[in-house]
Amino acid sequence: QNVGGLVEGNNVRFGGITVGAVKSVNLLNDTTIEVTLQLESRMEKIIRKNAEVSLGTDGIIGNRIVNILPVAGNAPLVESGDLLQSRQEIN
């Protein structure tokens, strides 16, 4: 619902490790924002389609980051163009 401060080039992390960058941030309509991520190719063998994403901050007053969070279950591996569910961040 709110991606304030998230811009192209910000880090994407999985398990605390930087695995990519934000490629674009687009406003689709008054209630939907699409964030496109560019991930390292090795992550195609690790991230599953049921993973969730959330926004975070790099340090106390650092840049905004995207965190990819694994979810239990045996979902297929993520592919280019897949959509991942977002999780509301805690303020």
Side-chain angles (χ1 to χ4, degrees), residues 51-63:
E52 295 180 339
V53 294
S54 70
L55 294 179
T57 304
D58 193 10
I60 295 174
I61 53 173
N63 292 330

Side-chain angles (χ1 to χ4, degrees), residues 7-60:
V7 295
E8 290 180 27
N10 283 90
N11 288 330
V12 176
R13 293 198 177 139
F14 182 82
I17 299 168
T18 300
V19 296
V22 173
K23 185 175 180 181
S24 65
V25 179
N26 297 305
L27 181 63
L28 298 182
N29 58 48
D30 63 338
T31 61
T32 307
I33 301 166
E34 178 184 64
V35 178
T36 303
L37 309 176
Q38 184 168 357
L39 302 176
E40 296 174 3
S41 60
R42 66 186 172 109
M43 299 313 295
E44 292 176 353
K45 298 175 184 161
I46 298 172
I47 299 174
R48 300 203 172 265
K49 293 180 187 246
N50 65 345
E52 295 180 339
V53 294
S54 70
L55 294 179
T57 304
D58 193 10
I60 295 174

